[in-house]
Amino acid sequence: DGGITQSPKYLFRKEGQNVTLSCEQNLNHDAMYWYRQDPGQGLRLIYYSQIVNDFQKGDIAEGYSVSREKKESFPLTVTSAQKNPTAFYLCASSPRRPAGQETQYFGPGTRLLVL
Amino acid sequence: AQTVTQSQPEMSVQEAETVTLSCTYDTSESDYYLFWYKQPPSRQMILVIRQEAYKQQNATENRFSVNFQKAAKSFSLKISDSQLGDAAMYFCAYRRYTGGNKLVFGAGTILRVKS
């Protein structure tokens, strides 16, 4: 059945290490997003992609990178330049058409912890 | 820039009673979407209800309804006949009608349901 999967559920990062969070969807959605959630705060947009091979920075893109080589996949890399990566990361996707149907649906999330 | 404010960090309701969660937002645009998402302890974000700003009629989904006051920029969520499964963090979110799919989230309201 259709949905969004994220892996791993928990991820541990050592100092200076890059780590990659996986996000896959089989909903045939064009647009995909990455959000970060910190305690006591709402979600903040890191990156988004509206079409394959294209992506834009969100509000807090520094220290992160993404790629969109396939429609169903939008991996997020947390680089060593991200000094405070401990957070809950949520991936979402949405259709682009028809207008008014661009509601975002979320995956189950990945908890990233720094060792 | 658009902002979303949820002024109630935490609310409690007795099972079978009704509770209203508040949300205000700031925007200079006339067309946009508003959403309520639920995040239970599993941390999966679940869409509860959606409102298009150009529609005067308030959205309703079973026990969930909204009171959308466009002039006041207010978007409250009413949960009727509260159930134990309604206990969660609730987020209000705003999205522009055109020009990108970025969601702007409030900080969230924790809803506790007492049996």
Side-chain angles (χ1 to χ4, degrees), chain B residues 53-104:
Chain B
Y54 59 85
K55 291 185 178 179
Q56 293 187 340
Q57 187 173 8
N58 289 325
T60 298
E61 288 286 341
N62 300 313
R63 298 183 294 107
F64 299 87
S65 62
V66 298
N67 183 4
F68 173 49
Q69 301 290 327
K70 191 173 184 179
K73 296 180 182 175
S74 171
F75 183 60
S76 61
L77 175 69
K78 185 172 84 171
I79 306 174
S80 304
D81 185 26
S82 296
Q83 301 175 359
L84 294 176
D86 295 333
M89 176 80 92
Y90 286 82
F91 291 97
C92 178
Y94 166 101
R95 189 180 76 76
R96 296 174 63 185
Y97 188 72
T98 58
N101 288 335
K102 173 184 171 181
L103 280 172
V104 178

Side-chain angles (χ1 to χ4, degrees), chain A residues 30-32 49-55 68 96:
Chain A
D30 288 300
M32 297 186 74
S49 167
Q50 298 199 66
I51 198 167
V52 174
N53 292 323
D54 185 54
F55 49 83
R68 187 84 188 278
R96 291 184 65 204

Side-chain angles (χ1 to χ4, degrees), chain A residues 10-74:
Chain A
Y10 297 96
L11 186 58
F12 299 92
R13 192 191 92 164
K14 296 180 181 178
E15 294 287 343
Q17 185 181 41
N18 292 354
V19 292
T20 298
L21 285 61
S22 169
C23 177
E24 304 274 335
Q25 55 97 2
N26 60 5
L27 300 168
N28 200 33
H29 287 171
D30 288 300
M32 297 186 74
Y33 315 81
W34 275 105
Y35 291 90
R36 170 178 171 144
Q37 185 178 22
D38 292 284
Q41 297 187 38
L43 281 66
R44 292 180 291 167
L45 184 66
I46 304 172
Y47 268 98
Y48 66 102
S49 167
Q50 298 199 66
I51 198 167
V52 174
N53 292 323
D54 185 54
F55 49 83
Q56 288 81 39
K57 293 181 179 180
D59 297 322
I60 55 167
E62 186 174 352
Y64 300 96
S65 66
V66 294
S67 63
R68 187 84 188 278
E69 297 177 2
K70 298 187 295 181
K71 185 176 183 178
E72 57 271 20
S73 178
F74 191 42

Side-chain angles (χ1 to χ4, degrees), chain B residues 6-32:
Chain B
Q6 294 179 249
S7 59
Q8 306 154 316
E10 191 169 327
M11 294 283 285
S12 292
V13 63
Q14 200 70 34
E15 201 174 2
E17 302 277 301
T18 295
V19 65
T20 298
L21 308 184
S22 300
C23 173
T24 58
Y25 57 95
D26 186 25
T27 184
S28 59
E29 302 183 353
S30 59
D31 287 328
Y32 46 87

